[in-house]
Amino acid sequence: PALARLLGEGVRYENAFVTTSLCSPSRASIMRGQYMRNHGIVDNNSPTPDGFRPFSVLLDDSGYDTAFIGKWHMGNADNSPKPGFDHWVSFEGQGNYRPVDAFGRPSLFNINGEVVQQTDYITDELTGHALSWLSERSEAPFLLFLSHKAVHLPFSPADRHADLYAGDVFDLPESADPARRSGPRPMWLTSQNNSWHGSDFAFYSDRSLSEIQQVYYAALAGIDDSTGAILAALEQLGNDRETVIIYTSDNGFMFGEQGLVDKRAAYEASMRVPFVIHAPKRFEGGTVSNVLARNIDVAPTILTLAGLDIPEDYDGRDILGVEASDDNEALIYEYYWEFNYPQTPSTFSLRTDRFKYIQYHGVWDTEELFDLQNDPDELNNLVLDPDHLETLTSLRAHLHEALSSDQDNPQI
């Protein structure tokens, strides 16, 4: 009900994507307003580069009260307080859903530099920290960055939600069946169908994909509870209709699309994310925008709302200042191969409002070209279709130009 309220009172961005569908790089893009190749956090193992400055630094310097509560996960094991946040609650890496992990070790938080043991289900405990901090706000403007662990693998809902979707059946998407595809199918994709990230043996679990989804959505119910509690707290403060809430995610998720599970790939289910801006006093609620919204646009949009300039090295833009009818910006997608998850090759893609072009680097494999308008499920690879040769060569050239020059936002 709380997320439904956000949708009903907020602006939903229908074309919302991440530029890299992976935890650390995507979170860094949110914090820095930059593509992965520019901010330098290229996988979940890379340390945070020296001089990494979250957009919160600019708000903090301008008099905002700032808090980060939740999953940082940039630099893997590093959970120390970061620049630009007056208040800090975080944990190492992915954190744990429960106060004790699977090996019987206590789950630990870093609260303003002090190590404290986790005591509750993580979504509830992080929400409690957020509510406590909000209750202390008075006249100063504030930024609260609430960064939940949920719904990350291994999915684990709160006890009260454990059976919420038990017995529900979730059908596989059409593209889960390789026979439904036409045109060349990448060899890596066929191989990955039989791996940890393939829908045939998803996460090497003995549960069906439908049963895994039951647990996924049950864990998401905790996020709904958290959202409702934050909205209620803002109502108590008396500024729930003016405070801007941005609800989004650092990656999408595949449940059988193209025979895959998880993320990383440049297919729609992996790249697409929810993106809602809620502030009923500022923006007309219940509306849908077709403006392209990306993770790299979060920071510049917030800075503009705060009346601050967007740094010149940002790749993103203020999406509130863009009219859908004038928006011809393309999405660049990039993912670098990881040694600990070698199933997915380095992937580069360019997506317009009509076509998507995908190229794989470091492997001998086919490119992909999809007509999203006529083929939203990405079933027909047009890369060998002579009628689309001009489109293919144009998108390939634009992608290479964007990746090899300062033209990070090609207009097409």
Side-chain angles (χ1 to χ4, degrees):
L3 296 179
R5 177 181 168 187
L6 279 188
L7 287 171
E9 298 178 352
V11 180
R12 177 171 66 87
Y13 284 80
E14 193 169 53
N15 294 311
F17 301 88
V18 291
T19 53
T20 303
S21 188
L22 186 64
C23 303
S24 297
S26 184
R27 286 167 182 264
S29 290
I30 291 171
M31 284 289 181
R32 278 293 279 126
Q34 293 179 319
Y35 286 106
M36 175 177 68
R37 63 184 178 276
N38 292 331
H39 61 60
I41 298 178
V42 299
D43 55 33
N44 286 345
N45 308 299
S46 299
T48 304
D50 292 338
F52 184 87
R53 284 170 54 85
F55 72 90
S56 55
V57 170
L58 300 172
L59 291 169
D60 193 37
D61 290 345
S62 299
Y64 274 70
D65 291 340
T66 56
F68 181 89
I69 297 173
K71 174 181 167 181
W72 178 259
H73 197 222
M74 285 174 270
N76 198 22
D78 181 15
N79 62 6
S80 59
K82 299 299 182 291
F85 294 105
D86 307 323
H87 184 67
W88 179 267
V89 180
S90 193
F91 41 81
E92 290 187 359
Q94 298 288 355
N96 300 300
Y97 281 103
R98 311 288 171 179
V100 177
D101 71 13
F103 301 98
R105 298 171 300 197
S107 305
L108 303 175
F109 284 175
N110 183 320
I111 301 180
N112 295 321
E114 180 183 355
V115 177
V116 177
Q117 186 164 348
Q118 180 180 329
T119 61
D120 200 355
Y121 178 67
I122 194 167
T123 304
D124 296 342
E125 188 159 350
L126 294 176
T127 302
H129 281 289
L131 296 176
S132 177
W133 187 80
L134 279 174
S135 70
E136 298 169 355
R137 297 313 98 210
S138 55
E139 296 300 319
F142 64 85
L143 165 73
L144 169 61
F145 200 113
L146 178 54
S147 178
H148 281 296
K149 169 185 172 59
V151 282
H152 196 280
L153 284 166
F155 310 132
S156 181
D159 291 342
R160 64 185 180 278
H161 297 138
D163 298 321
L164 190 60
Y165 295 100
D168 287 9
V169 176
F170 297 90
D171 295 329
L172 286 172
E174 187 176 6
S175 65
D177 181 2
R180 298 293 300 164
R181 289 235 349 187
S182 60
R185 190 172 193 261
M187 290 184 289
W188 75 264
L189 181 58
T190 299
S191 297
Q192 190 172 138
N193 290 161
N194 300 309
S195 77
W196 170 269
H197 285 154
S199 58
D200 292 343
F201 304 98
F203 313 119
Y204 298 155
S205 172
D206 58 1
R207 293 182 295 184
S208 70
L209 203 53
S210 181
E211 290 170 328
I212 293 173
Q213 284 179 273
Q214 293 170 12
V215 184
Y216 172 89
Y217 288 113
L220 187 60
I223 302 296
D224 189 82
D225 287 352
S226 175
T227 304
I230 296 297
L231 287 169
L234 291 174
E235 287 176 4
Q236 267 195 323
L237 289 173
N239 57 6
D240 57 299
R241 302 189 66 77
E242 187 168 316
T243 299
V244 178
I245 298 174
I246 297 179
Y247 178 91
T248 189
S249 175
D250 60 355
N251 56 255
F253 208 86
M254 295 178 289
F255 278 112
E257 287 83 1
Q258 305 296 338
L260 301 179
V261 293
D262 206 67
K263 42 191 181 285
R264 294 176 172 83
Y267 299 121
E268 290 290 280
S270 172
M271 300 164 61
R272 280 190 175 273
V273 292
F275 201 111
V276 180
I277 298 181
H278 177 277
K281 192 172 180 180
R282 296 169 179 255
F283 314 115
E284 183 180 354
T287 57
V288 177
S289 173
N290 290 317
V291 168
L292 176 66
R294 304 159 297 181
N295 52 354
I296 60 174
D297 298 323
V298 172
T301 299
I302 291 175
L303 291 176
T304 302
L305 283 166
L308 302 176
D309 294 332
I310 300 172
E312 291 184 1
D313 65 347
Y314 276 27
D315 301 319
R317 59 184 181 164
D318 166 29
I319 58 173
L320 293 172
V322 180
E323 294 291 336
S325 58
D326 299 327
D327 191 18
N328 62 342
E329 192 148 333
L331 172 75
I332 300 294
Y333 181 86
E334 51 191 5
Y335 165 79
Y336 295 167
W337 177 87
E338 300 168 275
F339 70 87
N340 49 336
Y341 290 100
Q343 304 98 317
T344 307
S346 292
T347 302
F348 301 96
S349 177
L350 189 150
R351 185 193 190 282
T352 70
D353 59 353
R354 172 73 185 271
F355 291 99
K356 181 192 290 181
Y357 166 73
I358 309 174
Q359 184 177 79
Y360 302 103
H361 180 73
V363 293
W364 185 28
D365 216 333
T366 183
E367 303 164 294
E368 294 183 279
L369 176 68
F370 299 107
D371 180 349
L372 299 172
Q373 182 174 309
N374 296 305
D375 179 28
D377 294 323
E378 300 170 300
L379 296 171
N380 184 19
N381 183 6
L382 301 169
V383 72
L384 297 182
D385 185 346
D387 292 339
H388 290 87
L389 178 60
E390 185 176 343
T391 298
L392 173 67
T393 55
S394 174
L395 293 181
R396 183 193 294 138
H398 276 95
L399 176 63
H400 289 185
E401 183 180 4
L403 294 174
S404 62
S405 71
D406 291 333
Q407 189 191 5
D408 289 319
N409 301 300
Q411 303 286 328
I412 299 177

